[in-house]
Amino acid sequence: MSEKKNITIVGTGYVGLTTAVMLANAGYKVFTLDIDQKKIDVVKTGKSYFYEPSLDIFVEKAIKSGNLIPTTSYKEAIPSTDIVLSCVGTPDREDGSSNLDYIFAAAESVVTNTKKDLIYVQKSTVPVGTGKSLLKFMKGKNAKVTMHYVSNPEFLAESTAVFDTLFFDRLVVGADNEEARKIVVNIFKDLDSYAKGLEDQHFGDYIGTYKNFSKKDLFSKTFEEKVISTNIESAELIKVTANAFLALKISFANSIAKLADVSGANISQVMDGVGSDIRIGRSFLYAGLGWGGGCFPKDVHGLIHTAKEHGVELSIMNKAVDVNNSMVPYTFNKLKKLKLDKKSDFVTVLGLSFKAGTSDVRKSQSIKLANYIREKGYKVVAYDPHAMEEAKELLNKQITLKQTIEEAIDGTSCVILATEWKEFINFNWEINSKLFKKKNIIDARNKLNQSQLTKQGFVYCGIGQDKSS
Ligand code: UDX
């Protein structure tokens, strides 16, 4: 059996930590590096510093095994490292371009500390063309060692990060050196074997809860069938294009939802029908408040910007952004129609994270909606089961945060379901209807039971089903 290489993951965020933890559990010695001491200190205790379902189970195991070494020191990690996985953030700038400062800073810290030949794997989402210029930059900083660059974009989604990392549907490997490609593929082959070997009882911990797949479905593709070998540029473009296409699908569904609202159709039924065409697929056609998070907004703007730099106009993506921006005022108009009294009534916004299952509030449409309603002069109360601390900084200071759903709806004149947490979907609205001053519900994620709530005397409206019965 060949000896396992030492790995350093630079950037201990959603992608970095999840990948580091799984590779450590698969038997690799993994340094997980971050410049933020606070994050590293939490990971050292065997926990994640952000909310991600089931991740703590694996962080604890990896720390206990001694295979996962959290550190802030390049000097500690890099000299014994054969392979670096770069998972640092690429935030967007005002003009939509990607800020690659962290990408270059991390690469510089790595190459100036390395003592041996290195494979540098980029998992962060970067604009097409970055890999080549980064490799040139790295070689300029250290000519003594041989370096190969591999683009291996990450497709995990927050809230299902554990699942997506273990049971990845594809492994995109963009390289111009076949040996380096092979080494990276083999690392993920080990991860695939680790996932296959997990006992059934562990499957229930995360799979049953988050996705409806059986173990057999998960491994219907062989590992080899999952590998997509490309050049570096194609791999880079695959990642942003995938996210842009998913965002486009959602914006398309939201456009049709507006037509459904005025025509008597029901958007969920429409998309059930449309999405059952295997060529289209049902996923990412769920109409609602729109897309947010750390990826879609940044990647869509980044793609538009990169295309422009190359003289290509991606007007279709500009339109997707416009539709997305329209969804907050569109939802607000539904509230306006309820003619509440701004002085004596208040509105409850349920959910602040950008989607359920995460404490991430970056570019959250729910926060945008809460702030928008407040700016229009309404009193707003808000609650989120996991993202209150994170939301505080971004929320209008005049919005009142409550500690439970019951407190948040006590005396309300309208509940807006902004983020689709299970806690809200499973809530007993009938029993708790006595807490309402006025029984209005705006379901901005189309997740509640319209006919049941209507029967219970609520005025219900969703997105794309206003005139449907
Ligand atoms: C996304 C991609 O899915 C993932 O592959 C990539 O690696 C990172 O970006 P993430 O940002 O975690 O993952 O969230 P995702 O589940 O894709 O949702 C993005 C946004 O779209 C959320 O705000 C969500 O509420 C919204 N959405 C999603 C819809 O409004 N409708 C849908 O049908 C699906």
Side-chain angles (χ1 to χ4, degrees):
M1 222 169 76
S2 66
E3 207 189 304
K4 282 198 163 123
K5 309 259 182 213
N6 284 350
I7 297 174
T8 291
I9 309 263
V10 181
T12 305
Y14 287 93
V15 172
L17 180 60
T18 313
T19 311
V21 162
M22 295 311 171
L23 290 176
N25 282 315
Y28 284 88
K29 180 180 170 190
V30 184
F31 286 99
T32 188
L33 194 151
D34 203 286
I35 50 173
D36 189 334
Q37 185 72 53
K38 275 193 227 137
K39 293 179 180 172
I40 291 301
D41 286 345
V42 177
V43 179
K44 275 183 179 163
T45 67
K47 279 202 263 304
S48 163
Y49 63 90
F50 50 82
Y51 175 69
E52 180 62 44
S54 303
L55 185 56
D56 282 354
I57 304 171
F58 292 92
V59 182
E60 194 187 348
K61 278 205 309 183
I63 291 286
K64 276 191 179 150
S65 72
N67 276 353
L68 183 69
I69 309 160
T71 180
T72 53
S73 165
Y74 282 90
K75 277 198 176 69
E76 181 193 0
I78 299 301
S80 64
T81 288
D82 310 285
I83 296 162
V84 170
L85 270 62
S86 165
C87 301
V88 298
T90 50
D92 49 350
R93 291 202 166 93
E94 282 282 294
D95 65 355
S97 65
S98 304
N99 177 350
L100 298 177
D101 291 354
Y102 300 122
I103 294 281
F104 278 82
E108 183 167 358
S109 302
V110 169
V111 289
T112 50
N113 281 291
T114 190
K115 303 257 182 312
K116 48 180 177 171
D117 295 350
L118 195 71
I119 297 178
Y120 200 83
V121 183
Q122 191 63 262
K123 284 192 93 62
S124 306
T125 307
V126 291
V128 56
T130 305
K132 285 273 163 68
S133 47
L134 188 61
L135 184 59
K136 202 168 152 205
F137 168 82
M138 286 160 69
K139 285 184 170 164
K141 295 279 170 192
N142 184 348
K144 288 191 207 121
V145 299
T146 305
M147 273 177 268
H148 293 298
Y149 185 92
V150 177
S151 170
N152 169 228
E154 178 54 57
F155 298 98
L156 70 78
E158 290 170 33
S159 81
T160 53
V162 166
F163 178 94
D164 297 339
T165 305
L166 288 172
F167 310 108
F168 48 91
D169 53 1
R170 72 208 117 148
L171 182 76
V172 174
V173 196
D176 51 16
N177 177 282
E178 289 316 308
E179 190 52 30
R181 187 198 307 277
K182 219 161 103 189
I183 290 170
V184 173
V185 167
N186 281 336
I187 291 174
F188 286 93
K189 192 169 186 173
D190 286 340
L191 182 58
D192 190 62
S193 304
Y194 169 69
K196 280 187 182 129
L198 279 172
E199 296 152 33
D200 283 354
Q201 86 206 44
H202 281 294
F203 274 70
D205 286 347
Y206 37 88
I207 292 172
T209 327
Y210 305 108
K211 300 205 178 171
N212 260 344
F213 291 119
S214 70
K215 196 169 176 179
K216 199 167 136 259
D217 292 336
L218 291 171
F219 299 109
S220 59
K221 262 188 194 175
T222 64
F223 173 77
E224 284 68 26
E225 284 166 344
K226 292 181 184 179
V227 179
I228 300 169
S229 293
T230 68
N231 67 12
I232 293 171
E233 289 79 0
S234 299
E236 290 169 338
L237 197 52
I238 285 171
K239 173 61 202 270
V240 267
T241 304
N243 275 355
F245 188 71
L246 293 173
L248 194 61
K249 270 185 103 174
I250 301 167
S251 283
F252 182 74
N254 282 336
S255 305
I256 302 296
K258 291 180 184 177
L259 177 58
D261 259 342
V262 289
S263 63
N266 178 307
I267 191 66
S268 303
Q269 292 172 6
V270 172
M271 288 309 172
D272 282 348
V274 171
S276 57
D277 182 332
I278 199 168
R279 295 169 301 176
I280 298 172
R282 180 64 176 96
S283 65
F284 286 76
L285 287 177
Y286 292 91
L289 205 44
W291 37 272
C295 295
F296 283 6
K298 170 175 80 75
D299 291 352
V300 167
H301 285 109
L303 185 61
I304 293 170
H305 194 271
T306 309
K308 211 179 239 164
E309 277 180 346
H310 286 84
V312 176
E313 202 60 50
L314 279 183
S315 47
I316 192 168
M317 291 318 304
N318 284 317
K319 293 290 173 210
V321 171
D322 291 346
V323 172
N324 202 49
N325 289 339
S326 76
M327 295 318 290
V328 165
Y330 186 76
T331 307
F332 169 74
N333 278 339
K334 291 176 186 280
L335 172 69
K336 218 167 127 190
K337 283 191 191 142
L338 297 174
K339 300 204 181 327
L340 302 185
D341 181 340
K342 287 184 185 175
K343 281 206 182 101
S344 58
D345 290 328
F346 71 84
V347 176
T348 301
V349 174
L350 291 182
L352 296 166
S353 55
F354 83 93
K355 65 171 182 179
T358 177
S359 53
D360 195 344
V361 292
R362 286 177 292 172
K363 306 263 162 70
S364 164
Q365 292 284 92
S366 313
I367 290 185
K368 279 189 201 158
L369 178 68
N371 287 343
Y372 192 86
I373 298 170
R374 178 59 226 160
E375 278 152 25
K376 294 286 177 191
Y378 290 80
K379 288 184 207 151
V380 181
V381 161
Y383 166 72
D384 187 288
H386 287 280
M388 301 262 266
E389 274 311 307
E390 292 79 354
K392 266 182 193 160
E393 262 181 50
L394 302 174
L395 274 179
N396 183 312
K397 297 289 168 269
Q398 289 169 310
I399 294 175
T400 311
L401 287 172
K402 296 285 183 182
Q403 294 310 311
T404 63
I405 177 170
E406 287 84 359
E407 277 178 36
I409 65 171
D410 193 3
T412 195
S413 293
C414 180
V415 158
I416 303 184
L417 183 94
T419 308
E420 67 282 22
W421 285 100
K422 279 208 179 102
E423 180 181 351
F424 307 148
I425 298 168
N426 298 333
F427 191 66
N428 193 327
W429 295 101
E430 189 174 22
I431 287 182
N432 289 289
S433 64
K434 59 181 184 299
L435 296 173
F436 282 68
K437 179 178 163 195
K438 296 177 184 168
K439 286 173 68 177
N440 295 308
I441 294 186
I442 297 175
D443 181 4
R445 296 289 175 180
N446 291 344
K447 286 289 189 284
L448 302 177
N449 190 324
Q450 176 179 16
S451 60
Q452 211 175 55
L453 288 168
T454 310
K455 272 190 212 130
Q456 291 163 5
F458 286 95
V459 173
Y460 171 95
C461 64
I463 307 285
Q465 46 185 308
D466 267 4
K467 287 193 179 157
S468 71
S469 48

